[in-house]
Amino acid sequence: MSLKDILTRDAELPAVLPNTELYGELLEFYHNEAELLDQYGYMTWVELFTKDTEYRMPVRTTQFLTDGDGFHDFDFFTDDWQTLYTRARRLETEFAWAETPPSRTRHFVSNLRLGSDPENGEVAARSNFFITRTRQDRDYQMFTGSRHDRLVREGDSFKIKRRTILVDQTVITGTNLSIFF
């Protein structure tokens, strides 16, 4: 499914209003997710994803609005659950040289918009993110953009089935993309 199809399909779902129980549950879910990432809880974070997950970041381009959505058909990364698990596990070792010592991150998530898909019980979530990352004593990096998720209920919580990360930057000035979004 193309990026345009994903965004169009999710935007057409019936809205979940902010004063509902479902909205509150998912807002708490995203706050907990941000805290896990900021406190190096990577292995617990990976468990927030389904085993058939897709986690991707398309490459952004600068172009006129009439020329398309501004994203290429290829990605900075496309991960499945096993790749996320491997990346997270590696960050817990001294062999993740790009993260030794580890970056200090702060994840801010806002503008949460939800849509409920009555056909399959999934929830589509759009949110904006602002992530700061500091490395050692000199580097300070910032990432902004939006995340488009598909979530499924599992027990009394949710799991992320698909995450598409749309960064605002056309040039990633960070030293690497070893952090999670």
Side-chain angles (χ1 to χ4, degrees):
M1 187 181 298
S2 74
L3 178 61
K4 182 178 180 179
D5 292 338
I6 290 170
L7 300 181
T8 301
R9 182 174 156 226
D10 288 353
E12 293 173 350
L13 294 175
V16 175
L17 299 176
N19 60 344
T20 63
E21 184 178 339
L22 178 59
Y23 189 93
E25 286 180 70
L26 283 163
L27 186 60
E28 183 65 17
F29 176 88
Y30 282 114
H31 288 170
N32 288 333
E33 179 195 15
E35 186 173 12
L36 282 172
L37 291 171
D38 292 342
Q39 294 182 357
Y40 312 108
Y42 304 124
M43 296 311 296
T44 305
W45 176 78
V46 168
E47 294 303 322
L48 298 178
F49 291 83
T50 63
K51 298 294 186 199
D52 64 341
T53 198
E54 179 186 72
Y55 180 87
R56 62 187 284 247
M57 179 188 283
V59 173
R60 172 159 249 162
T61 60
T62 300
Q63 59 191 36
F64 292 107
L65 289 175
T66 55
D67 292 336
D69 59 15
F71 291 92
H72 280 290
D73 290 333
F74 53 91
D75 302 332
F76 283 114
F77 53 78
T78 303
D79 293 343
D80 59 14
W81 188 88
Q82 187 61 50
T83 309
L84 287 176
Y85 176 85
T86 301
R87 287 177 59 194
R89 193 80 171 143
R90 189 168 173 261
L91 288 174
E92 293 184 339
T93 72
E94 68 274 8
F95 300 111
W97 59 267
E99 286 296 320
T100 304
S103 295
R104 292 174 301 281
T105 62
R106 195 65 57 212
H107 289 72
F108 299 91
V109 179
S110 68
N111 298 52
L112 180 62
R113 297 288 180 256
L114 303 174
S116 181
D117 191 340
E119 288 182 25
N120 57 19
E122 295 179 0
V123 176
R126 287 188 333 264
S127 60
N128 294 340
F129 66 83
F130 177 78
I131 301 170
T132 63
R133 171 168 106 175
T134 53
R135 291 263 315 129
Q136 300 176 351
D137 294 330
R138 59 185 178 280
D139 293 337
Y140 183 84
Q141 298 157 4
M142 177 176 58
F143 302 92
T144 60
S146 64
R147 300 186 312 189
H148 298 259
D149 294 346
R150 269 292 174 139
L151 300 105
V152 294
R153 185 171 285 284
E154 187 169 295
D156 60 351
S157 189
F158 291 89
K159 289 210 175 204
I160 302 166
K161 184 175 181 177
R162 184 187 72 229
R163 171 164 289 167
T164 304
I165 304 151
L166 305 178
V167 291
D168 292 332
Q169 297 92 325
T170 55
V171 176
I172 303 294
T173 58
T175 52
N176 58 54
L177 286 174
S178 59
I179 65 168
F180 295 111
F181 290 82

